[in-house]
Amino acid sequence: MTEPVVKAWDRAAEGWSSSSPIIHAWLRQATAAMLSEARLQRGARVLDLAAGAGDQTKDIAFAVGPTGDVLATDISPKILDFARGRIEAAGLANVRFAVADAEQPVHAQTPFDAVMCRLGLMFCMNPAAALAAAFNALRPGGRFVALVFGDPANNPCITTMMKVARKHRGLTGSVSPYADGGLFSLAAPGRLASLLTAAGYAEVAVKPLAAPFELPDAAAYVAFVRSSGSPIMEVLAPLDAPARELAWQEMEEALEEFRGHRGWLGPNELLLGSATRAG
Ligand SMILES: C[S@@+](CC[C@H](N)C(=O)[O-])C[C@H]1O[C@@H](n2cnc3c(N)ncnc32)[C@H](O)[C@@H]1O
């Protein structure tokens, strides 16, 4: 993981943490499905990869209870500080934290019952390495579960924002939506399943989940992304402040198309991948 990538996530850390209520509501059902697929028991040992500001870490820590043990890791030291604060504020004493790259081997003396990753795996430039590291960290019979972004066609808010951001940056060349390390890097049909199978997992399953954003208006969505949506923030970062402002305004206008009778509903599709390290 390169220094600029770490710094980029550090820059989004505060925004991602303070957007926790929005993120929690957005991902409530998807996170519940992820926890269910992990088949967690009380007392389980869980590795939470790319844990971010700890929103799902908290849910995992409650699920495994005080006799359980959660190791939350992330490449961004700054975002992990927010996770630590969130877990302490919840009065949980069963979570440890470590700055670590998900693509690197895991240093742990006891294997994990589950390895989980919510909206982080697609940012790995080498997801096969991350899946291999997770496999080696699991006990036989242990579960791997990850949520990633699904088909770009079913994520029009993200594709619209990225298109507008790239236009304002003058990036006119075409890029594959499935580029390594990008938001949709694992969204190509069959890609996540084939990576899991190639890494040696059994019981491989990948299913799409609808996770629409329900917010008062497009402005609220743009406010969320401009403080915490690192990939789009980084495209606009080299522009001066007025030029950036124009881009955010154009995004907001474009996203107004998702306003309905009962507020704003931004379509969003995730993929829930799950697999077992066979015993
Ligand atoms: C979109 S946030 C998701 C955070 C959290 N899992 C959640 O769902 O709220 C993506 C996170 O992935 C982390 N990340 C990106 N690449 C990573 C890598 N190679 N290893 C570990 N963490 C990584 C970022 O620092 C960031 O915290």
Side-chain angles (χ1 to χ4, degrees), residues 49-157:
L49 294 173
D55 180 61
Q56 77 292 313
T57 315
K58 202 166 97 175
D59 294 342
I60 297 167
F62 276 120
V64 300
T67 57
D69 182 36
V70 183
L71 175 61
T73 66
D74 200 284
I75 45 158
S76 159
K78 201 165 164 199
I79 209 164
L80 268 191
D81 283 344
F82 286 106
R84 199 174 284 108
R86 177 159 284 105
I87 294 299
E88 279 172 16
L92 289 158
N94 57 350
V95 183
R96 293 169 297 125
F97 300 89
V99 175
D101 185 340
E103 296 178 32
Q104 297 298 319
V106 180
H107 300 291
Q109 281 166 350
T110 316
F112 293 92
D113 299 301
V115 177
M116 305 176 73
C117 185
R118 193 180 80 175
L119 296 188
L121 188 62
M122 65 275 174
F123 296 124
C124 290
M125 291 304 290
N126 185 351
L131 292 175
F135 186 91
N136 290 328
L138 282 168
R139 66 163 169 78
R143 295 282 288 162
F144 176 83
V145 188
L147 276 171
V148 300
F149 285 111
D151 193 324
N154 298 330
N155 287 288
C157 301

Side-chain angles (χ1 to χ4, degrees), residues 80-271:
L80 268 191
D81 283 344
F82 286 106
R84 199 174 284 108
R86 177 159 284 105
I87 294 299
E88 279 172 16
L92 289 158
N94 57 350
V95 183
R96 293 169 297 125
F97 300 89
V99 175
D101 185 340
E103 296 178 32
Q104 297 298 319
V106 180
H107 300 291
Q109 281 166 350
T110 316
F112 293 92
D113 299 301
V115 177
M116 305 176 73
C117 185
R118 193 180 80 175
L119 296 188
L121 188 62
M122 65 275 174
F123 296 124
C124 290
M125 291 304 290
N126 185 351
L131 292 175
F135 186 91
N136 290 328
L138 282 168
R139 66 163 169 78
R143 295 282 288 162
F144 176 83
V145 188
L147 276 171
V148 300
F149 285 111
D151 193 324
N154 298 330
N155 287 288
C157 301
I158 299 175
T159 54
T160 298
M161 293 187 97
M162 193 52 97
K163 197 168 147 198
V164 173
R166 288 179 57 81
K167 185 185 82 176
H168 281 254
R169 255 296 293 286
L171 302 171
T172 48
S174 71
V175 281
S176 164
Y178 306 124
D180 286 343
L183 287 157
F184 299 115
S185 68
L186 298 177
R191 172 124 163 97
L192 181 55
S194 65
L195 281 168
L196 284 163
T197 303
Y201 291 92
E203 255 193 294
V204 171
V206 177
K207 58 180 177 194
L209 292 178
F213 260 96
E214 289 185 59
L215 291 169
D217 49 31
Y221 182 72
V222 172
F224 160 62
V225 175
R226 67 186 289 172
S227 71
S228 55
S230 177
I232 292 168
M233 290 161 68
E234 292 305 313
V235 172
L236 294 180
L239 301 181
D240 62 25
R244 273 202 304 273
E245 198 55 43
L246 279 179
W248 293 118
Q249 271 171 24
E250 188 177 329
M251 290 177 204
E252 191 180 316
E253 284 158 21
L255 292 173
E256 273 300 321
E257 79 166 285
F258 299 112
R259 183 190 287 279
H261 296 304
R262 292 189 306 168
W264 187 86
L265 197 70
N268 183 243
E269 183 192 85
L270 306 175
L271 296 178

